[in-house]
Amino acid sequence: MPLKLAVNEVLRVLEAEWQDPLRCTNVEQGMHRAEYAFHDADRRRVAEAILQDARLSSLLRWHPSAYFLTNEERRAARAVLQLVDEGEPVEEASLVGRAAVLLGEPEESVKAALDALSWVGFLERRQGRAVCRSPHSAEFLEGVGFFFHEVVAGEERFNVNCFHDFVLLTSPSYRARRLGTLCQRPGARGMTPKMLRFLEGVAPRELVRRSYDRGQVWLNDACASCARRIRLVVEDARLVAVEPAAVWHVRGGGCGLNNLFCGQACAENWVVAYPWLRGAERGPVHELWSPGLRGT
């Protein structure tokens, strides 16, 4: 397929995806849906085309990096946040090595992720071989930040805004309880002004445009505290597999505060950093697929 036609097809896919209130499909996922192999240079062309199109860029309800980076690159960014203080230059090779160990990933994939993080402006390269977080790095953490929640259903792959959106899509009992009591929108914490404005025009009954109550659906995620990989499998509206087995969730209100954790300890440690979440709903994820329990 000629490059221009391929880019236009990816843009068409993404525009359709972004009409859904629960989806924040990224460029790599859009390329997959368009059956176009992922290449970094082509990803950058698609991103540039989106920013130059006022109609498409208006659909970016989160920071553009949430759409332009892959999920693996966003997971690497979370390692950088753990390893690099704001404004502190770090020798790049050392950072690559430490991040690779933290994430359990090959150094070459981490190096490629750091290149992407420099491209979007989260990292800056300094003289010599040092990198540091840019002065604008805090902007990348607004809303969903570097958290991701990838839904895989057959050939479909897309991110949702928060973990609990995945539950809305796959648990009829949770969906009935949540949408039946959803009379107030989330506050500004964990949201962005664009997302809040968008939700003002969406009635609760319109949030779930398509449910996944039949068949097998996967969630690829990562602990919001330590970035350990997490995977859930739902089949015919039943949670049938959880890895690791002790996964917890926290629902703090706005999308950036509704996350998964590899266990109770990570969940409780994360909540300590947000005093207003002390009373937030949290517990084992199994409860969210059980009629009449959590999620009211």
Side-chain angles (χ1 to χ4, degrees):
M1 182 185 298
L3 178 59
K4 185 175 181 179
L5 290 178
V7 169
N8 287 339
E9 177 62 15
V10 174
L11 295 176
R12 184 193 65 78
V13 167
L14 291 172
E15 182 177 12
E17 288 283 296
W18 295 340
Q19 307 302 317
D20 191 313
L22 301 186
R23 299 193 184 201
C24 50
T25 306
N26 66 34
V27 170
E28 183 271 326
Q29 293 164 337
M31 295 173 75
H32 170 80
R33 182 73 64 83
E35 300 182 342
Y36 187 64
F38 178 81
H39 298 286
D40 178 57
D42 296 339
R43 179 257 302 266
R44 298 188 187 203
R45 292 187 182 95
V46 172
E48 182 179 0
I50 291 170
L51 293 177
Q52 292 177 350
D53 187 310
R55 177 174 48 85
L56 288 175
S57 60
S58 70
L59 296 174
L60 305 182
R61 299 184 281 272
W62 307 111
H63 191 280
S65 63
Y67 304 89
F68 297 164
L69 295 174
T70 68
N71 289 343
E72 292 304 313
E73 290 162 352
R74 293 168 76 187
R75 184 166 173 259
R78 288 160 62 182
V80 171
L81 289 170
Q82 293 186 46
L83 298 171
V84 181
D85 293 330
E86 188 171 359
E88 175 192 349
V90 177
E91 203 270 325
E92 184 170 3
S94 172
L95 176 58
V96 168
R98 288 186 294 150
V101 171
L102 189 154
L103 297 170
E105 299 293 340
E107 289 192 5
E108 54 268 27
S109 66
V110 174
K111 175 65 168 64
L114 297 189
D115 290 341
L117 294 174
S118 297
W119 164 58
V120 297
F122 178 70
L123 290 179
E124 287 186 348
R125 285 190 161 87
R126 296 291 179 87
Q127 287 186 345
R129 298 184 177 181
V131 295
C132 69
R133 289 164 55 181
S134 79
H136 307 290
S137 62
E139 298 174 7
F140 290 74
L141 308 182
E142 296 175 357
V144 297
F146 291 123
F147 301 124
F148 62 85
H149 317 275
E150 183 183 53
V151 180
V152 181
E155 292 302 312
E156 281 193 281
R157 288 175 48 234
F158 57 91
N159 287 340
V160 288
N161 301 309
C162 70
F163 161 66
H164 295 85
D165 287 349
F166 174 72
V167 189
L168 278 175
L169 294 176
T170 59
S171 173
S173 58
Y174 179 89
R175 187 185 314 131
R177 295 194 303 272
R178 286 285 294 128
L179 297 185
T181 59
L182 194 61
C183 58
Q184 292 183 338
R185 294 303 184 193
R189 285 173 174 155
M191 303 296 278
T192 62
K194 285 182 72 173
M195 188 59 171
L196 290 171
R197 287 195 299 271
F198 177 78
L199 289 176
E200 288 176 358
V202 181
R205 66 180 181 278
E206 298 173 340
L207 279 174
V208 180
R209 304 287 173 87
R210 176 186 175 186
S211 61
Y212 292 80
D213 299 338
R214 294 288 179 268
Q216 191 173 91
V217 189
W218 295 60
L219 179 75
N220 295 322
D221 213 301
C223 176
S225 180
C226 71
R228 180 181 177 182
R229 292 187 186 278
I230 293 173
R231 176 169 287 180
L232 308 185
V233 183
V234 175
E235 188 166 359
D236 295 336
R238 293 180 301 110
L239 184 63
V240 297
V242 180
E243 184 183 346
V247 171
W248 266 46
H249 75 103
V250 172
R251 182 161 70 89
C255 292
L257 300 175
N258 300 334
N259 288 304
L260 280 185
F261 301 84
C262 61
Q264 181 177 1
C266 270
E268 300 294 358
N269 287 341
W270 188 76
V271 167
V272 168
Y274 305 94
W276 60 89
L277 293 182
R278 289 174 184 167
E281 174 195 327
R282 56 189 181 270
V285 294
H286 301 82
E287 298 178 343
L288 299 174
W289 280 266
S290 300
L293 292 176
R294 297 265 183 163
T296 56

